[in-house]
Amino acid sequence: MPGGMPDPNDPKVKQMLAQLQQMMAASTSQSGPVNWDMARQLADNATRAEDPGVDGVARTKTTEALRLADLWLEPVTTLPSGISSTAAWSRMDWIANTVDTWKRLCDPVASKMVASMGDLVPDDMRAMLGPMADLMKGLGSVMFGTQLGQALAGLATEVQTSTEIGLPLGPAGTAAIIPANLAAYGEGHELPDDELRLYMAMREAAHHRLYEHVPWLRAYVFGTVEAYASGIHIDPAAVEEAVGEIDPSRPETMQGLDLSEVLKPTDTPAQKAALTRLETVLALIAGWVTHVVESAAGDRLPSLPQLGELFQRRRAAGGPAEQTFATLVGLELRPKRLREATLLWRRLTEERGVEGRDAIWEHPDLLPDAEALADPEGYVSGQFDLGDIDMSFFEGTGGDAPREGGGGADGDGDGDADGGAEGDAGEGPGKKDG
C-alpha cells in the first residue's frame, strides 16, 4: 500500500470502515459526492443551541423593513422589484433554505476529491478488498460532508441576509434577513437597529432586482464558479496524508483536517480566465447594489456613511466560516475592487442616467471588464453612447451571444455559462420582466 494509505487489515481501520458503512447505510437519501445528510445534521446540531429563533416582533420589523426598502429603490433603478415574499429566518432556517445552492457550489470540487480517494486503492488490491474498496469514496464523501456541516454552522452565525455574499443562496424571489445576526452585528458596532435593518434590507432587495430581472445573471455567476472549480487539482499525496491523520476512534479528527493542501488551483489560462470573470461580475454586482442603495437612502439614514464603510470592510475581510468555504468551494466568494466598482456605476449614472446605466445589464457582453474596474474614470469617459446600441442584435440569443475572439463563462466560445441552468438564461436578454 502507498506510504500514507491505511492498512485495511488494521483493527482500527476495520472499525472505521464498519462505522462508515453504517453511516452510509443510514443516509438513504444521500447521493452525489458529498454526504449532505451528514452535513445538514452536523450543521443543525451545532447551530441549535446558539439559535435564538425569531419572535413575532422581529418578524414584523423584518417584513416592514424589506417592503419599505423595496419602495425606496423604485425611483433609482429601472429594474422592477424582484421580491415575491419576505422572511425573517432563524439560523437554522438559513441552513435549510440555502443548502441546495451550496450543493451546486461545492459538488464540483467534492466530486474530484471523492474520485481521488477511490484512486488511492491500487488496482491489485481492489479484488481482495471487494466492496470495501468503494468505501474509500464514501470516506471522501463523509470527510467533505463533515467539514461542510462545520462551515455551514459557522456561516449561519455570520450572514445577515440571503444574498450577503453576492450570490442568491435562498429560493428565488424570497427576500430574507436573519434578525439574530443583524442584532449581534449592530451591538458590536453601536449601530441604530432600525437603520442597520433598513440598510441591509435595501441591499437584499437590490440583489433580488438584479437576479430576478437580469435573465442571464444567475446562470452566468454559477456557471463561472463551476468553470473555475473544474480546474481544481487534487494532490494525491496530500489526500493520502489527510486520510492518515484520521483517527477512527475520534470522528472529530475529520473536522480538523486542512483541505487547503488537498485542493489546489491549476493556475491554467482557462482557470485564470474563469477567476477573472467571477471576480469582475461579483464586484460589479456588489458595486451596483452599493450605488443604488446609497442613491435610495440619501439623507434618510443618518448613519449611511458608517454603514457603508463597515460593510465594505466586512466584505473585504470575510469571516472564519467564509474562509472555510473558500477552501471547500475552491475560491473566495468576495468581490475585489468593490470601491472601484461603486465609483464606476456612480459615474455611469452621472453620464448616462439611470436607464443608460441599467441597460448595461441587458447582456453579459456589455458589462465592464477587469480593465474598466482598474480605471473607472477612463472607462466611463471612453464609453460609447448606450442609447445608440441596436439591442435587436441580441434578441433570441438567450443572453449567450458569443464574444468576438472569446467565449462565455465556460470558456468554450458559446457564452453559455452552464448549459442554461435553471432555464433563466434562455430568455431574450433585451426583455425585462414586469
Side-chain angles (χ1 to χ4, degrees):
M1 300 287 275
M5 179 70 183
D7 182 357
N9 294 314
D10 187 305
K12 286 188 175 181
V13 175
K14 286 184 176 180
Q15 179 187 4
M16 177 185 70
L17 294 175
Q19 291 174 343
L20 178 61
Q21 279 183 310
Q22 293 175 355
M23 287 187 289
M24 295 289 286
S27 301
T28 55
S29 61
Q30 193 266 333
S31 62
V34 176
N35 191 320
W36 284 102
D37 290 338
M38 170 174 287
R40 173 73 184 275
Q41 183 178 8
L42 288 172
D44 284 348
N45 289 342
T47 305
R48 187 174 287 108
E50 302 297 327
D51 190 357
V54 182
D55 60 25
V57 173
R59 201 175 303 279
T60 299
K61 288 182 176 180
T62 296
T63 298
E64 291 176 348
L66 286 166
R67 289 176 176 171
L68 180 58
D70 215 23
L71 285 175
W72 283 3
L73 290 172
E74 200 66 30
V76 299
T77 175
T78 61
L79 299 176
S81 173
I83 298 176
S84 56
S85 63
T86 62
W89 284 346
S90 67
R91 291 165 178 168
M92 291 183 67
D93 289 336
W94 178 86
I95 294 172
N97 283 284
T98 65
V99 67
D100 286 343
T101 303
W102 289 117
K103 287 180 183 179
R104 183 172 181 183
L105 289 169
C106 298
D107 276 356
V109 175
S111 62
K112 288 198 165 193
M113 179 176 167
V114 170
S116 183
M117 293 283 289
D119 292 341
L120 286 179
V121 181
D123 292 337
D124 57 355
M125 296 291 293
R126 292 184 183 277
M128 182 184 75
L129 292 173
M132 299 289 282
D134 291 333
L135 285 181
M136 286 306 297
K137 292 184 178 180
L139 177 60
S141 174
V142 170
M143 285 172 58
F144 220 91
T146 299
Q147 296 231 331
L148 277 169
Q150 184 180 8
L152 277 170
L155 200 54
T157 66
E158 296 177 9
V159 295
Q160 298 176 20
T161 70
S162 75
T163 60
E164 186 181 345
I165 67 170
L167 300 178
L169 297 178
T174 299
I177 289 177
I178 299 87
N181 295 349
L182 201 68
Y185 185 75
E187 290 174 2
H189 292 93
E190 298 182 352
L191 295 168
D193 291 345
D194 56 343
E195 292 190 36
L196 174 60
R197 188 182 302 109
L198 271 169
Y199 178 78
M200 295 308 296
M202 282 193 287
R203 297 197 67 90
E204 174 78 347
H207 275 102
H208 279 279
R209 286 178 183 250
L210 270 182
Y211 279 109
E212 292 303 307
H213 297 293
V214 177
W216 54 268
L217 184 59
R218 188 184 300 262
Y220 182 92
V221 171
F222 284 112
T224 307
V225 172
E226 291 159 6
Y228 180 86
S230 68
I232 292 289
H233 170 69
I234 305 297
D235 184 351
V239 173
E240 281 193 55
E241 185 176 348
V243 173
E245 292 176 358
I246 297 175
D247 183 347
S249 64
R250 296 170 56 229
E252 66 272 12
T253 55
M254 287 193 186
Q255 299 182 20
L257 294 177
D258 182 8
L259 295 184
S260 63
E261 293 302 315
V262 176
L263 309 172
K264 296 285 189 181
T266 56
D267 215 26
T268 62
Q271 196 181 38
K272 286 181 178 178
L275 180 59
T276 298
R277 286 196 301 274
L278 184 66
E279 289 178 342
T280 300
V281 75
L282 286 178
L284 290 171
I285 290 169
W288 184 89
V289 167
T290 297
H291 170 55
V292 299
V293 165
E294 290 175 349
S295 300
D299 57 1
R300 292 162 163 160
L301 299 180
S303 302
L304 181 61
Q306 183 186 8
L307 288 163
E309 183 64 28
L310 286 173
F311 180 84
Q312 297 233 19
R313 292 178 185 175
R314 174 181 167 86
R315 293 300 296 127
E322 188 174 340
Q323 292 164 11
T324 301
F325 270 108
T327 297
L328 300 178
V329 176
L331 47 81
E332 292 181 350
L333 296 173
R334 297 203 303 272
K336 297 183 178 180
R337 297 190 179 277
L338 176 52
R339 295 182 190 276
E340 292 89 338
T342 305
L343 172 61
L344 186 148
W345 290 116
R346 186 182 302 127
R347 291 286 292 112
L348 281 171
T349 305
E350 294 169 356
E351 293 292 325
R352 309 294 180 188
V354 170
E355 187 172 350
R357 178 201 68 203
D358 289 350
I360 290 178
W361 291 107
E362 294 282 0
H363 194 275
D365 284 356
L366 297 177
L367 285 183
D369 57 16
E371 292 182 5
L373 290 180
D375 182 17
E377 290 287 356
Y379 171 80
V380 174
S381 63
Q383 270 291 286
F384 46 79
D385 188 348
L386 291 175
D388 294 337
I389 298 177
D390 180 7
M391 294 306 296
S392 64
F393 170 80
F394 297 113
E395 292 295 340
T397 63
D400 298 332
R403 300 176 186 267
E404 258 186 65
D410 56 358
D412 61 4
D414 65 5
D416 187 357
D418 64 349
E422 300 185 10
D424 55 2
E427 301 177 28
K431 177 183 177 183
K432 293 182 184 174
D433 297 337

